[in-house]
Amino acid sequence: MNSKIIIACVLMNLLLVLRPAMSAAPSCDAVITSFAPCLSYLKNVGYVPSTSCCDNIKVLDQRLPEKQDRKSVCQCIKLAIPIIGTVNNTRVQDVSNSCGSNLYEIPPISPDMNCDNVV
Ligand SMILES: *[C@@H]1O[C@H](CO)[C@@H](O)[C@H](O)[C@H]1NC(C)=O
């Protein structure tokens, strides 16, 4: 099966599931959309994050000067885990390095990730 189609399906489900939570975290929508092009890399497809993944992460990063905002991004990702499924956390850590310096580090993604530890 075409992995692009699978990922598109996953994302559509993701947006539907997260919709009720969006009022509490207004940026959730944008966060998930930003991560969309990164999902294939995070799921061990290919060897480097795509350009659109890096571009999105950089933009997202610039919008998160406040710790509270980074926390809510973490919470968005945590909510999305049941749909995203398992990701390669080596690659999660690697995305900021691969995409450029001075980026906000994404904490390891797991169902019990503690968003209070976001720095
Ligand atoms: C996770 O990604 C790293 C870096 O690409 C790779 O070396 C490693 O084999 C991957 N781990 C798994 C469990 O697929």
Side-chain angles (χ1 to χ4, degrees):
M1 259 231 260
N2 186 323
S3 65
K4 273 187 183 154
I5 293 173
I6 295 169
I7 287 161
C9 289
V10 164
L11 286 168
M12 274 162 62
N13 289 334
L14 207 59
L15 291 174
L16 291 176
V17 169
L18 292 179
R19 200 162 290 280
M22 278 173 196
S23 58
S27 58
C28 225
D29 194 354
V31 169
I32 300 304
T33 308
S34 296
F35 270 98
C38 302
L39 272 185
S40 56
Y41 175 70
L42 296 181
K43 286 177 154 298
N44 283 330
V45 179
Y47 298 100
V48 290
S50 65
T51 309
S52 46
C53 166
C54 285
D55 288 348
N56 286 0
I57 294 289
K58 282 177 191 164
V59 170
L60 186 64
D61 191 62
Q62 286 162 3
R63 290 185 185 154
L64 301 174
E66 303 294 335
K67 182 177 175 178
Q68 188 52 48
D69 296 333
R70 294 193 290 272
K71 246 187 206 181
S72 73
V73 166
C74 175
Q75 278 151 359
C76 281
I77 294 171
K78 190 172 174 176
L79 272 175
I81 289 172
I83 303 119
I84 295 175
T86 312
V87 295
N88 181 336
N89 272 308
T90 309
R91 291 187 169 209
V92 173
Q93 297 306 307
D94 209 44
V95 160
S96 38
N97 290 333
S98 305
C99 291
S101 55
N102 299 323
L103 289 172
Y104 153 61
E105 293 245 339
I106 303 157
I109 295 175
S110 78
D112 55 0
M113 66 201 281
N114 186 349
C115 292
D116 290 334
N117 289 344
V118 168
V119 291

